[in-house]
Amino acid sequence: MPKTATLSYGAAAILHAVAGGQQFGFDIIDATGLTSGTVYPTLDRLEAQGYLRSKWENEAAAHREGRPARRYFTLTAAGATALRGALAKYKALRPLPGFAPEGAKG
Amino acid sequence: MRRAVLFVIALLAHVVPPSRRAIWREQWAAEVWHYDRWVARQHRASRAGSLRLLARASGAFPHAVALRGAAMSPRMLLHDLTFAWRLFVRRPAFTAVAILILGLGIGANATIFSWVDAVLLHPLSAVAEQDRLVAIRGTHLARTNLSMSYPNFVDLRSARVDGLQDVMAFRILALSVRTGGEPLRIFGELVTPNFFDLLGVRPAIGRTFRSEEGQTPGRDPVVVISQALWRRTFGSDPAIVGRSLAINGTPFTIVGVAPRDFHGSVAGLALDAYLPITMQKAVMAGDRLNARGNSWLQVYGRLTPGATLERANAGLRVAGDRLAATFPDQNEGRGLMAATLANDGASGLLMPVMSTLMGVVGLVLLIACANLAGLMLARAAGRQREVAVRLAVGASRGRVVRQWLVESLLLAAAGGLTGLILASWTSRMLALFIPPTPFPVAFDTGLTPTVLVFTASVTLLTAIVSGLLPAVRASRPDVALALKEAAPGHVGGRGRLRQSLVVAQVALSLLLLVCASLFLRSFMRAQSLDVGYSAHHGLLASIDLLAGGYDEERGKAFLQQALDRVAAIPGVRAASVAVAVPLDVSSGSDMSVTIDGYTAQPNEDMHAYYNRVGPGYFDTMGIDLVEGRAFTPRDAKDQPRVAIINESMAKRYFAGRSALGGTIRFGSGPTTIVGVARDGKYGTITEAPRNYMYLPVLQSYRPDLVLHVRTAAEPTGLLPALQREIRALDPALPLFDVRTIEEHRRLSVFIPKMASTLLGLFGVLALVLAVVGLYGVVACSVAERTREIGVRIALGATRPDVMRLVLRQGLVVSSIGLAAGLVLAFAAGRVLAGQLVGISAADPVSFAVPAAALLLVAMLACALPARRASRLDPIMALRRD
């Protein structure tokens, strides 16, 4: 089962950033401090593993604002579970409201 | 820039499996669009901004490759790899040449990028999150880049500007330290107590400053020293905290040691001591902490996370306006602005040459790629049958392209590794170009993680650029034809492609050679350029009378005696002192002036740069006076104030009449012009003529001075006598930064020198690559046309006929390349014009010599195969196949 597989720090940091509201590759790079060469392939891998879901912005809305539509990512239920597990392991990641490590209170 | 990136991304999309290609392309187009916006907001389209855009967009490579990798079964990939490996082992010569070509190209890129990384991207080593650091400068009417006074800084900090987390101030200065023995000359910084915290630097030992150490003037004689000083002076004593260090005669207590790779807050300088700003009076003349009109501090700010430069600038405008409104006497017309650090210190100095070099090594890599693509195309001709068999038994074209890409990837990886090995050695060579400077210099160049990531991306790019074209070509042979026994005549199309690749190589290498010769000739001109003073047979030595414990009266008396004694040394023709030496790398001091009888336009820049000089200065430096007289010892404090101005200033303010007897006003009281000196170069050799004034140092005293000595013969021989005379007056006063004027002059030409040396090196590398490529094309076509040439000879063509036939082919290819190269070089020359000294960007010699040399070498490269063709035995040739 992929859900029991442990996440690398990079993958955990990316899930963490997505959970924290960063939905675009660009913002995820800024939030995680990872290089762009790590972030994009990992996003695709996390999507293939079912931890993330990607969608396109509403094209009409983007065009109205004179910018191209971007692909954005959201956390799946499996991703949220995996992130909780990872937060317990990687203490360097800032705790997020609603993502307390498993077993911890609050 | 964005268009170029999008183009590469469109190319790269072919690597992505077709099922995901469209999504991938759209995703990256959108990301690049947003990067571009972001860069424009942050960096105002500076070159550093473009570099950042590139760095961000480089993620497209690993992304595309990862997607491709996921689509490939590992077994197939392994199969492709083993197949490629076997091919390379079977053709060791081809493999070695290819790896060498790529190694040189990638190595050159890694080397220059490691310099760019150290100089432009991470100029302040050990400082955290440098992209959030900004320099905050004062502005006054049309002038920018001004320093700030301490009271203004204090008010700015307490104003809590929106977009800025915090601000700090510092001032670099020379210090004389003593721990017992000889006094030692070092450079340090007076800093506000939040200096280290704002930079994100933690001490290696002890502590940095507490906030109360920036409150009461003179109360806290504490110092943080550099690791270098700790090692040099204290033998790395682990119990350093609490020990005492005498700085300019005042005992300071050492409270901490900075981390090893922290060298201070200005790019390229290696500083050794950090003192609280409240200790200013102990180490610097005057009381500057209370004078709002005295601007002497540099200020850095840290942007609030997520804040842009624009937001900070908006906040600073408000703060600046408030300062001007509250203190109109000192701040009328003044404002504040923030800028990136990229133009600061040595970074600003090296920025143009680094950008040029980065472009140049990019071209070298392009040539290497074209070269390798040519080699692989030649191989494609030999492997037509193999490919045809694969296609005939049912392999898809994609499968064949992938096989070829894996081969070029393997080659590029080996080349990249070679390049890294090269670069690990050459990246340290930046230091070789830095001439002896009056201040210590440090650049931590090396293979940092950023450089490794860059090199890996370049390697991938190389694999794709050099492999894609041959791969696509190889994957569509005419199966039926190729499977037949012999099809020697059907290589025409591929031959043309190879020829165009050689045309491109010749063009690009001519471009590089022309740039190199432009810089070389500019360097030669710069060395012989008339800078307004004579560099021949002169000696400079610095003294610091404040550190030596002299007040103004005693200092002046000392100067008189010292100059008399030095002038009496046999072999000395003249001697004087001055505060600044022309053409040091600093921009010099300036001040606002008014001229009696001259009405300034509204907002006209009325600033003049100035130097304070001793009696005999113009004689000593060989600066001619056009009018009037030089300074004498009688131009002293109790006498009427006098000044000598340069021709530019005289022309501007006294058009049509003599400047002699004219009155200038600055600071307090009128100053009479007694002489006009010939124009010179004061800051840099490329500067435009500027207003310049000389003031007698006896009337406007400064304690930190440079002794200027003009000698009759080679000057270094007189150094012991010079030291003896100064020591006889004061045994405790050190002479430091002793150098000849010629050595000093070299400082001003080190950038043109560096540019011409490196460009020359890369130009020759490009030339070699292009010539190898040309040789390959001609030799290959001779081999392919063996039958045809045999027939010609059999039908009566003479050996010279055959020679001409082959040479003509080479001549046509290289002539087209030359023509294209000249056009490119002409365009490049216009871009480089600002960096050239004394020659035009269309300098005919710089164009003609490389073109002729390239043509000659190209003909030599063709002569070899031509000779071989002319010696063909027609019977053997016809019997082949």
Side-chain angles (χ1 to χ4, degrees), chain B residues 258-270:
Chain B
R260 192 169 59 87
D261 41 357
F262 179 68
H263 304 303
S265 58
V266 172
L269 294 190

Side-chain angles (χ1 to χ4, degrees), chain B residues 773-793:
Chain B
L774 181 66
Y775 171 81
V777 163
V778 176
C780 203
S781 105
V782 166
E784 280 160 4
R785 292 166 71 183
T786 302
R787 251 171 94 103
E788 177 209 323
I789 293 170
V791 171
R792 282 172 188 266
I793 296 177

Side-chain angles (χ1 to χ4, degrees), chain A residues 14-22 75 83 96 99:
Chain A
I14 288 172
L15 284 185
H16 179 261
V18 174
Q22 312 296 336
L75 212 60
L83 177 58
L96 277 173
F99 284 91

Side-chain angles (χ1 to χ4, degrees), chain B residues 7 21 103 146 246 260 296 319 344 351 380 449 477 485 509 542 562 569 625 627-628 649 722 751 848:
Chain B
F7 176 71
R21 198 169 288 159
L146 305 177
R260 192 169 59 87
W296 59 291
D344 244 53
M351 173 89 122
E485 267 305 303
S509 62
S542 303
I569 298 173
L625 288 178
E627 268 187 291
M649 192 165 168
L722 180 68
I751 288 178

Side-chain angles (χ1 to χ4, degrees), chain A residues 1-2 19 36 38 40 59 63 68 71 77 79-80 84 87 90-92 96 98 106:
Chain A
M1 283 289 285
S36 73
T38 308
Y40 294 102
E59 200 142 328
H63 279 210
R71 190 173 164 210
R84 272 193 202 96
L87 284 180
Y90 300 109
K91 302 281 193 250
L96 277 173

